Amino acid sequence: MGLRFKFNLVLLAVFLAGFGVAGYISNDLLQRQARERVLGEARLVMEAALAIRGYTVGQVKPHLIDRMDKGFLPQTIPAYAATETLAELHKKYPDYDYKEATLNPTNPRDRAADWEADLVNVFRNRADSREISGQRDTPTGPALYIAHPIRIESAACLPCHSTPEAAPASMLKVYGSANGFGWKLNEVVGAQVVSVPMSVPLARAEKTFNVFMISLVGIFAAIGLVLNLMLWAMVIRPVTKLSKLADRISLGEVGAPEFKAGGRDEIGVLARAFAARLLLESDSATVTPASGGVVTISSQIDSGWLEFIEITPATAGC
């Protein structure tokens, strides 16, 4: 097993560990960001519904209230206005859904589904709860939802929902007297529910994750290539040349090529020390002092010269 193979094996193990950790952290982060983005969109839709309700109560109903004797105008009802307006948004964005889910609604279209009824009951059992969020599967994929309670906080709502006898005749003519009655002050009768699909943000998160991981592989490949080139140039090549030269000298081969050991790093020091030992053991070794305590050791093997320069006295005495 060569040095390069061992080096690449360790490098690969480190990369796989880092790749796994980076993949887990980045995927979790992107998924959470996608969820937060969906929640932000859901809250935006919820705020739009609340704004429509407030606008209806403050600026629409006062202008139409006098006409209620001639005929019931559902446009004066805040829940109706919010539902109708966001239904227009639903036509263009069918996965974005808003509903005022009610256990006993006046309008049958507002009747709560089973999972929506569970949300209403949670609000009924937890008086301090103001918002519930969660995720559920839909035919078009996973969707995130948020829900706010619909609580009867004003007695102005009771004439239309307390008893059929107290309700306007024009309303009874439109919706009948079977549903939407029996409501009480401060009672939770339903929940505003906004559903937003997660498919788009999840797709974006997945795309970003894939680009990040591919980039990580590319960066690792580039680093691995550079490190391998450095390993070959600074370690493997000089050690291989020295090893081959040592083998040729130990076999008594004549015509050994000249080899100069340069550099002041660990490989250069090792090469000079090893070569000095070989030369000192050679019968034709020559030690020439130089200035600054540096010596030159050289040996001639027939027509070939092997020379090592800048050998310190300590190294030359090995």
Side-chain angles (χ1 to χ4, degrees):
M1 185 181 294
L3 180 63
R4 180 180 295 179
F5 180 80
K6 292 180 181 179
F7 174 80
N8 284 303
L9 190 62
V10 173
L11 186 63
L12 181 62
V14 172
F15 167 74
L16 291 177
F19 190 81
V21 172
Y24 175 80
I25 294 176
S26 61
N27 184 62
D28 181 68
L29 179 62
L30 290 170
Q31 292 290 329
R32 281 188 290 155
Q33 287 180 341
R35 181 181 177 88
E36 289 301 319
R37 180 172 182 174
V38 172
L39 278 175
E41 293 179 355
R43 290 192 175 97
L44 182 61
V45 175
M46 182 68 76
E47 290 300 321
L50 294 174
I52 295 168
R53 289 170 65 99
Y55 175 81
T56 302
V57 172
Q59 300 191 43
V60 176
K61 188 173 183 178
H63 296 285
L64 299 177
I65 192 68
D66 294 337
R67 299 175 57 184
M68 293 287 283
D69 294 336
K70 299 178 181 179
F72 182 72
L73 298 175
Q75 293 80 8
T76 61
I77 307 302
Y80 178 88
T83 301
E84 286 293 313
T85 303
L86 292 178
E88 293 298 317
L89 176 68
H90 182 76
K91 292 178 181 178
K92 188 173 183 179
Y93 300 97
D95 293 332
Y96 289 70
D97 187 62
Y98 172 80
K99 183 178 179 180
E100 302 219 357
T102 310
L103 297 181
N104 182 22
T106 301
N107 191 332
R109 73 175 181 180
D110 296 329
R111 188 172 300 279
D114 292 340
W115 70 275
E116 294 168 335
D118 292 337
L119 297 177
V120 177
N121 289 325
V122 170
F123 286 127
R124 284 189 163 193
N125 296 329
R126 301 176 185 175
D128 58 339
S129 182
R130 292 293 179 267
E131 180 178 288
I132 299 175
S133 63
Q135 182 176 325
R136 71 186 191 91
D137 293 328
T138 68
T140 58
L144 202 63
Y145 65 84
I146 62 171
H148 289 180
I150 299 177
R151 191 185 304 274
I152 306 303
E153 298 178 343
S154 174
C157 298
L158 294 180
C160 294
H161 298 285
S162 57
T163 63
E165 291 75 19
S170 57
M171 188 188 81
L172 297 176
K173 185 176 180 180
V174 175
Y175 295 110
S177 59
N179 300 302
F181 298 102
W183 296 8
K184 299 177 181 180
L185 190 64
N186 295 321
E187 179 187 19
V188 174
V189 296
Q192 293 174 278
V193 182
V194 175
S195 298
V196 181
M198 294 191 66
S199 56
V200 174
L202 285 178
R204 290 176 181 172
E206 183 178 359
K207 183 178 180 180
T208 303
F209 175 76
N210 292 336
V211 171
F212 172 75
M213 298 306 289
I214 293 174
S215 300
L216 193 62
V217 171
I219 293 173
F220 168 76
I223 293 175
L225 178 61
V226 172
L227 290 178
N228 271 273
L229 291 175
M230 292 178 61
L231 180 68
W232 177 81
M234 301 174 64
V235 179
I236 296 177
R237 183 176 65 173
V239 170
T240 301
K241 291 175 65 175
L242 185 60
S243 176
K244 290 181 179 179
L245 187 59
D247 288 341
R248 295 174 67 176
I249 293 175
S250 66
L251 294 175
E253 182 179 345
V254 298
E258 180 180 356
F259 181 86
K260 292 185 178 181
R264 297 183 180 274
D265 57 10
E266 290 81 358
I267 297 297
V269 172
L270 175 63
R272 288 194 295 272
F274 182 66
R277 182 60 178 266
L278 291 177
L279 290 175
L280 288 174
E281 291 179 356
S282 174
D283 294 337
S284 58
T286 301
V287 179
T288 306
S291 60
V294 179
V295 298
T296 299
I297 304 177
S298 60
S299 177
Q300 181 180 16
I301 303 177
D302 292 342
S303 59
W305 277 92
L306 179 65
E307 182 179 27
F308 297 84
I309 61 174
E310 294 186 356
I311 306 299
T312 62
T315 305
C318 293

